Short mmCIF file of all heavy atoms in Angstrom, two decimals:
data_model
loop_
_atom_site.label_atom_id
_atom_site.label_comp_id
_atom_site.label_asym_id
_atom_site.label_seq_id
_atom_site.Cartn_x
_atom_site.Cartn_y
_atom_site.Cartn_z
N LYS A 644 16.56 22.81 -21.07
CA LYS A 644 17.88 23.08 -21.64
C LYS A 644 17.68 23.92 -22.94
O LYS A 644 16.68 23.68 -23.66
CB LYS A 644 18.56 21.83 -22.02
CG LYS A 644 18.97 21.02 -20.73
CD LYS A 644 19.86 19.85 -21.05
CE LYS A 644 20.31 19.22 -19.72
NZ LYS A 644 21.29 18.28 -19.88
N ASN A 645 18.62 24.75 -23.20
CA ASN A 645 18.57 25.54 -24.40
C ASN A 645 19.11 24.88 -25.56
O ASN A 645 20.33 24.58 -25.62
CB ASN A 645 19.29 26.88 -24.17
CG ASN A 645 19.10 27.89 -25.27
OD1 ASN A 645 18.70 27.56 -26.40
ND2 ASN A 645 19.50 29.17 -25.01
N PRO A 646 18.31 24.43 -26.52
CA PRO A 646 18.75 23.65 -27.65
C PRO A 646 19.65 24.47 -28.63
O PRO A 646 20.36 23.82 -29.48
CB PRO A 646 17.47 23.18 -28.43
CG PRO A 646 16.44 24.18 -28.00
CD PRO A 646 16.82 24.53 -26.69
N PHE A 647 19.75 25.74 -28.42
CA PHE A 647 20.61 26.66 -29.23
C PHE A 647 21.97 26.82 -28.55
O PHE A 647 22.88 27.24 -29.23
CB PHE A 647 19.93 27.96 -29.44
CG PHE A 647 18.68 27.84 -30.24
CD1 PHE A 647 17.40 27.89 -29.60
CD2 PHE A 647 18.73 27.84 -31.65
CE1 PHE A 647 16.29 27.79 -30.32
CE2 PHE A 647 17.56 27.74 -32.38
CZ PHE A 647 16.30 27.72 -31.73
N ALA A 648 22.10 26.50 -27.27
CA ALA A 648 23.37 26.72 -26.66
C ALA A 648 24.37 25.72 -27.04
O ALA A 648 24.08 24.59 -27.48
CB ALA A 648 23.12 26.65 -25.05
N LYS A 649 25.63 26.02 -26.88
CA LYS A 649 26.77 25.14 -27.34
C LYS A 649 26.79 23.89 -26.59
O LYS A 649 27.00 22.80 -27.20
CB LYS A 649 28.05 25.95 -27.22
CG LYS A 649 29.25 25.30 -27.91
CD LYS A 649 30.47 26.17 -27.87
CE LYS A 649 31.52 25.54 -28.68
NZ LYS A 649 32.82 26.36 -28.78
N ASP A 650 26.61 23.90 -25.26
CA ASP A 650 26.74 22.67 -24.42
C ASP A 650 25.53 21.78 -24.56
O ASP A 650 25.61 20.56 -24.15
CB ASP A 650 26.99 23.04 -22.97
CG ASP A 650 25.83 23.89 -22.41
OD1 ASP A 650 25.17 24.62 -23.16
OD2 ASP A 650 25.62 23.76 -21.12
N SER A 651 24.37 22.25 -25.02
CA SER A 651 23.15 21.38 -25.19
C SER A 651 22.54 21.59 -26.51
O SER A 651 21.35 21.55 -26.67
CB SER A 651 22.19 21.71 -24.07
OG SER A 651 21.79 23.12 -24.14
N PHE A 652 23.36 21.69 -27.57
CA PHE A 652 22.92 21.91 -28.93
C PHE A 652 22.13 20.65 -29.41
O PHE A 652 22.57 19.53 -29.37
CB PHE A 652 24.15 22.16 -29.83
CG PHE A 652 23.77 22.51 -31.23
CD1 PHE A 652 23.51 23.78 -31.60
CD2 PHE A 652 23.78 21.59 -32.27
CE1 PHE A 652 23.18 24.21 -32.79
CE2 PHE A 652 23.44 21.98 -33.48
CZ PHE A 652 23.16 23.29 -33.85
N ASN A 653 20.87 20.93 -29.99
CA ASN A 653 20.08 19.84 -30.44
C ASN A 653 19.20 20.37 -31.56
O ASN A 653 18.22 21.04 -31.35
CB ASN A 653 19.24 19.33 -29.25
CG ASN A 653 18.42 18.10 -29.59
OD1 ASN A 653 18.03 17.85 -30.81
ND2 ASN A 653 18.11 17.35 -28.57
N LEU A 654 19.48 19.89 -32.84
CA LEU A 654 18.71 20.33 -33.93
C LEU A 654 17.26 19.93 -33.88
O LEU A 654 16.37 20.66 -34.33
CB LEU A 654 19.36 19.85 -35.22
CG LEU A 654 20.62 20.67 -35.71
CD1 LEU A 654 21.24 19.87 -36.92
CD2 LEU A 654 20.25 22.07 -36.02
N THR A 655 17.02 18.72 -33.45
CA THR A 655 15.64 18.24 -33.33
C THR A 655 14.76 19.11 -32.46
O THR A 655 13.68 19.46 -32.77
CB THR A 655 15.62 16.78 -32.85
OG1 THR A 655 16.46 15.95 -33.67
CG2 THR A 655 14.21 16.17 -32.82
N GLU A 656 15.31 19.44 -31.29
CA GLU A 656 14.54 20.24 -30.34
C GLU A 656 14.46 21.66 -30.90
O GLU A 656 13.47 22.36 -30.65
CB GLU A 656 15.29 20.28 -28.95
CG GLU A 656 15.21 18.97 -28.15
CD GLU A 656 13.77 18.65 -27.85
OE1 GLU A 656 12.97 19.55 -27.47
OE2 GLU A 656 13.40 17.50 -28.00
N GLN A 657 15.43 22.18 -31.68
CA GLN A 657 15.33 23.45 -32.27
C GLN A 657 14.17 23.50 -33.23
O GLN A 657 13.32 24.46 -33.14
CB GLN A 657 16.58 23.85 -33.03
CG GLN A 657 17.79 24.14 -32.10
CD GLN A 657 19.04 24.43 -32.90
OE1 GLN A 657 19.03 24.64 -34.10
NE2 GLN A 657 20.15 24.49 -32.18
N GLY A 658 14.06 22.49 -34.10
CA GLY A 658 12.99 22.45 -35.05
C GLY A 658 11.63 22.34 -34.33
O GLY A 658 10.63 23.02 -34.72
N LYS A 659 11.58 21.54 -33.34
CA LYS A 659 10.29 21.35 -32.64
C LYS A 659 9.92 22.62 -31.95
O LYS A 659 8.71 23.11 -31.96
CB LYS A 659 10.50 20.22 -31.54
CG LYS A 659 9.26 19.91 -30.79
CD LYS A 659 9.56 18.80 -29.80
CE LYS A 659 8.36 18.50 -28.95
NZ LYS A 659 8.72 17.56 -27.86
N LEU A 660 10.86 23.33 -31.35
CA LEU A 660 10.58 24.62 -30.69
C LEU A 660 10.23 25.74 -31.70
O LEU A 660 9.23 26.48 -31.42
CB LEU A 660 11.88 25.09 -29.92
CG LEU A 660 11.66 26.09 -28.88
CD1 LEU A 660 10.60 25.77 -27.82
CD2 LEU A 660 12.94 26.41 -28.22
N LEU A 661 10.73 25.75 -32.79
CA LEU A 661 10.41 26.69 -33.88
C LEU A 661 9.01 26.52 -34.41
O LEU A 661 8.31 27.42 -34.68
CB LEU A 661 11.40 26.67 -35.06
CG LEU A 661 12.65 27.33 -34.82
CD1 LEU A 661 13.71 27.01 -35.93
CD2 LEU A 661 12.46 28.81 -34.78
N ARG A 662 8.58 25.14 -34.48
CA ARG A 662 7.22 24.92 -34.96
C ARG A 662 6.15 25.24 -33.88
O ARG A 662 5.15 25.82 -34.15
CB ARG A 662 7.14 23.40 -35.27
CG ARG A 662 7.02 23.08 -36.71
CD ARG A 662 6.90 21.60 -36.99
NE ARG A 662 8.08 21.02 -36.40
CZ ARG A 662 8.19 19.88 -35.64
NH1 ARG A 662 7.26 19.21 -35.46
NH2 ARG A 662 9.31 19.48 -35.19
N GLU A 663 6.45 24.80 -32.67
CA GLU A 663 5.41 24.91 -31.59
C GLU A 663 5.44 26.37 -30.89
O GLU A 663 4.36 26.79 -30.60
CB GLU A 663 5.75 23.90 -30.48
CG GLU A 663 5.50 22.47 -30.99
CD GLU A 663 5.89 21.47 -29.95
OE1 GLU A 663 6.37 21.81 -28.85
OE2 GLU A 663 5.72 20.25 -30.30
N ASN A 664 6.54 26.96 -30.68
CA ASN A 664 6.56 28.23 -30.04
C ASN A 664 7.75 29.08 -30.59
O ASN A 664 8.76 29.22 -29.97
CB ASN A 664 6.76 28.02 -28.53
CG ASN A 664 6.47 29.18 -27.71
OD1 ASN A 664 6.37 30.33 -28.23
ND2 ASN A 664 6.34 29.04 -26.41
N PRO A 665 7.51 29.72 -31.76
CA PRO A 665 8.52 30.53 -32.38
C PRO A 665 9.09 31.72 -31.51
O PRO A 665 10.22 32.01 -31.55
CB PRO A 665 7.98 31.03 -33.63
CG PRO A 665 6.55 30.54 -33.63
CD PRO A 665 6.27 29.73 -32.50
#
Side-chain angles (χ1 to χ4, degrees):
K644 293 190 176 189
N645 187 345
F647 297 96
K649 190 173 187 177
D650 61 333
S651 59
F652 187 81
N653 187 334
L654 281 175
T655 306
E656 289 298 318
Q657 288 177 12
K659 183 179 175 185
L660 194 57
L661 280 169
R662 252 181 299 138
E663 294 174 0
N664 194 347

